[in-house]
Amino acid sequence: MTAAVSASAPGKIILTGEHFVVHGSYAVAAGINRRVRVTVKPSKNGFSSIASGKDSSKVASEDGKFRAAKTIIRKLVQDYEQNSNPIEVQIDSDIPAGSGLGSSAAVSVACTAAITKYFGNIVSSKDLFALAMFGEKQVHGNPSGIDIEASISGGIILFNKSTGAKTIKTQNRVSLGVIYSGEKRSTSLLVAKVARQRDAHPNFFRNLTKSASYQSLELTDALNRGDVERIGTLFNIAQTELEWIGVSTPSIQKIIERVSGEGTYGAKITGAGGGGSIIVAAKPQILSSLINSLIANYPHSFVTQLNQEGLRWEP
Ligand code: PMV
């Protein structure tokens, strides 16, 4: 009998360019120190199943659960002609779903890697990206692919839909604060809302898309130098533009006001917005205490360094 295979992949934060990246801009993303682990083993029940926490489902069932992962499992079972070899897929995640921290992409990436290896193949990063995208498209409609790319590679990437990802190096280790508002949201609805804004104000939107590219290139330089103050300034500019396109919410504004003050350089939405999470750049001496002061109200608040490992095999 085939032995169990486990892989894990990190969630991500987007530092600049979310939404505009869907319309062709550059964006910057980084892996975070919160991961998803996926284990694949032979099924004892005669059918393939998938489970996470208390939730479970048959892969053949159309109950709306685990849609991206099921799409990937079905495709791989078909591609590898493994219909008579049912599997049990177990997901263990420390990334809240719907938080804007890339839990869905990390599930798709770790799932694809673990299942292909279980069926006797190690696929290239390019094929892994394509397979994980195939799953994500079922859920998000028109994803740029930045979440998946960041989850595969870890580290920090400068990403563009047409040209792909380039690694960004930092001289100093840069850490940022991450705060989940607790407000879940749907990426696809927010992406559709932004597309309506683009259609209503095409010239304005084109300029914002260009601006997101300039911010991303400037941020790349700030990261190269480890200049946290400039990183924060760029976050504030990006946040203003995200507010203009209507993806900020009162709960996001409240957190941004709460983290603003002595020693904080800037804060913004990370990911699709509409709730979800924010990131904050602050003086290294105050970052941990700032984040600790938020945990009572926002339990998913943490500090992450931007040098996280991407996809990896687990024992
Ligand atoms: O789903 P999130 O919150 O990780 O956001 C994804 C980033 C977007 O730019 C809004 C969509 C995309 O596919 O790039």
Side-chain angles (χ1 to χ4, degrees), residues 281-299:
K283 279 191 177 152
Q285 307 89 291
I286 69 139
L287 184 61
S288 291
S289 56
L290 175 68
I291 292 301
N292 286 339
S293 72
L294 295 163
I295 286 175
N297 295 97
Y298 304 101

Side-chain angles (χ1 to χ4, degrees), residues 12 14 17-19 21-22 100-102 140 142-147 185 187 191 270-273:
K12 64 88 194 65
I14 299 183
E18 50 270 272
H19 286 293
V21 69
V22 174
L101 298 176
H140 296 314
N142 183 25
S144 65
I146 190 170
D147 292 23
R185 76 294 170 286
T187 300
V191 168
T270 183

Side-chain angles (χ1 to χ4, degrees), residues 76-96:
L76 293 175
V77 165
Q78 207 179 349
D79 286 0
Y80 291 101
E81 296 173 357
Q82 295 286 340
N83 264 320
S84 52
N85 182 12
I87 54 174
E88 204 179 296
V89 178
Q90 173 67 41
I91 300 169
D92 295 295
S93 173
D94 45 32
I95 310 168

Side-chain angles (χ1 to χ4, degrees), residues 6-313:
S6 294
S8 79
K12 64 88 194 65
I13 46 178
I14 299 183
L15 284 74
T16 49
E18 50 270 272
H19 286 293
F20 302 108
V21 69
V22 174
H23 303 277
S25 85
Y26 281 95
V28 174
I32 56 172
N33 55 4
R34 296 288 184 276
R35 302 182 75 87
V36 169
R37 179 188 172 115
V38 173
T39 301
V40 185
K41 56 185 182 193
S43 165
K44 296 187 201 91
N45 308 319
F47 57 83
S48 291
S49 63
I50 179 161
S52 176
K54 290 189 184 117
D55 220 1
S56 67
S57 176
K58 285 185 183 175
V59 171
S61 155
E62 295 294 348
D63 56 8
K65 293 179 186 174
F66 308 108
R67 273 169 56 212
K70 278 184 188 172
T71 305
I72 292 167
I73 297 168
R74 287 175 193 158
K75 175 165 174 42
L76 293 175
V77 165
Q78 207 179 349
D79 286 0
Y80 291 101
E81 296 173 357
Q82 295 286 340
N83 264 320
S84 52
N85 182 12
I87 54 174
E88 204 179 296
V89 178
Q90 173 67 41
I91 300 169
D92 295 295
S93 173
D94 45 32
I95 310 168
S99 62
L101 298 176
S103 76
S104 162
V107 169
S108 292
V109 167
C111 209
T112 306
I115 296 172
T116 48
K117 186 173 178 194
Y118 178 87
F119 288 152
N121 263 281
I122 306 273
V123 289
S124 66
S125 297
K126 197 168 156 243
D127 289 344
L128 194 79
F129 178 85
L131 285 162
M133 269 301 261
F134 181 74
E136 285 295 282
K137 277 186 181 157
Q138 298 302 308
V139 185
H140 296 314
N142 183 25
S144 65
I146 190 170
D147 292 23
I148 292 173
E149 199 70 74
S151 188
I152 294 173
S153 67
I156 319 175
I157 54 166
L158 175 67
F159 178 86
N160 176 272
K161 239 173 40 166
S162 331
T163 54
K166 266 196 225 141
T167 303
I168 298 176
K169 296 227 167 351
T170 47
Q171 267 184 28
N172 311 327
R173 277 190 291 182
V174 176
S175 291
L176 296 174
V178 183
I179 304 126
Y180 173 38
S181 65
E183 199 178 352
K184 275 196 184 188
R185 76 294 170 286
S186 147
T187 300
S188 54
L189 291 181
L190 285 148
V191 168
K193 179 177 176 182
V194 172
R196 288 197 295 278
Q197 294 277 18
R198 178 205 53 191
D199 295 343
H201 313 282
N203 290 331
F204 182 60
F205 196 87
R206 198 170 306 121
N207 280 308
L208 289 182
T209 306
K210 269 192 204 153
S211 168
S213 278
Y214 287 126
Q215 286 160 37
S216 301
L217 297 174
E218 206 175 316
L219 184 75
T220 302
D221 188 54
L223 285 162
N224 287 157
R225 293 165 197 266
D227 184 345
V228 186
E229 186 167 357
R230 202 154 137 236
I231 293 169
T233 305
L234 288 160
F235 283 1
N236 288 337
I237 296 169
Q239 175 60 23
T240 305
E241 298 190 353
L242 290 166
E243 284 167 21
W244 286 344
I245 61 168
V247 297
S248 199
T249 65
S251 70
I252 289 287
Q253 296 303 134
K254 194 168 143 196
I255 297 172
I256 289 179
E257 270 162 40
R258 204 159 148 198
V259 298
S260 303
E262 190 63 31
T264 299
Y265 296 131
K268 67 179 276 291
I269 287 167
T270 183
S277 299
I278 73 139
I279 48 175
V280 54
K283 279 191 177 152
Q285 307 89 291
I286 69 139
L287 184 61
S288 291
S289 56
L290 175 68
I291 292 301
N292 286 339
S293 72
L294 295 163
I295 286 175
N297 295 97
Y298 304 101
H300 293 287
S301 301
F302 56 94
V303 172
T304 185
Q305 279 187 350
L306 303 187
N307 59 348
Q308 301 301 319
E309 203 179 340
L311 174 69
R312 68 176 181 228
W313 303 117

